[in-house]
């Protein structure tokens, strides 16, 4: 199994930046694709970004493309989400997940507890 712990959330002004981290435990971390999802109050969980097990393939939701970058360091068992040019509509709880990849949250196997990102205008 894989245990995931997110960190790096906080309060920023529109146009600012944050970097989220997701630290994983377990020797099988490198075999999983990783995804970032977010959920705002009253809304369903939304795909943000994903990265393949090797780190060679990434893809993004249209709403964050060009602003967010997902990366991973398998030697550190960590995946990152660099968020630039933040907008108020990015406000949500951000969670990382491990699994087969893709944009569907229900396909992932393991989840972190989430970290709050709040963007003020």
């Amino acid at each position: 199994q894989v245990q995931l712990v997110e960190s790096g959330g906080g309060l920023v002004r529109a146009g600012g930046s944050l970097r989220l981290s997701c630290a994983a435990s377990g020797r099988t971390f490198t075999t999983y694709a990783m995804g970032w999802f977010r959920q705002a109050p009253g809304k369903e969980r939304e795909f943000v970004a994903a990265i393949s097990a090797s780190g060679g393939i990434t893809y993004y939701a249209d709403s964050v493309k060009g602003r967010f970058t997902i990366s991973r360091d398998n030697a550190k068992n960590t995946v990152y989400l660099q968020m630039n040019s933040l907008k108020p509509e990015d406000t949500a709880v951000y969670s990382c997940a491990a699994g087969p990849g893709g944009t569907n949250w229900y396909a992932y196997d393991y989840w972190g507890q989430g970290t709050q990102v709040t963007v003020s205008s």
Side-chain angles (χ1 to χ4, degrees):
Q1 292 197 351
V2 176
Q3 289 76 49
L4 306 172
V5 179
E6 302 96 335
S7 62
L11 174 64
V12 298
R13 288 190 172 274
S17 297
L18 285 173
R19 188 179 73 160
L20 306 183
S21 298
C22 176
S25 62
R27 291 175 56 84
T28 60
F29 170 76
T30 58
T31 70
Y32 292 98
M34 298 292 295
W36 285 97
F37 295 80
R38 66 188 184 187
Q39 188 167 24
K43 295 188 176 182
E44 68 180 75
R45 186 177 292 156
E46 176 187 29
F47 168 76
V48 177
I51 187 167
S52 62
S54 69
I57 303 172
T58 60
Y59 55 104
Y60 301 90
D62 288 343
S63 59
V64 307
K65 186 176 177 63
R67 300 187 297 121
F68 291 10
T69 302
I70 188 171
S71 62
R72 68 191 296 162
D73 185 341
N74 285 346
K76 296 181 178 179
N77 278 11
T78 302
V79 63
Y80 305 96
L81 185 68
Q82 178 67 47
M83 305 185 295
N84 298 327
S85 301
L86 283 161
K87 304 175 181 179
E89 51 263 45
D90 295 319
T91 295
V93 174
Y94 285 71
S95 300
C96 66
T103 62
N104 298 319
W105 66 266
Y106 48 82
Y108 286 77
D109 300 306
Y110 305 104
W111 291 84
Q113 83 288 352
T115 186
Q116 177 71 46
V117 172
T118 302
V119 184
S120 66
S121 60

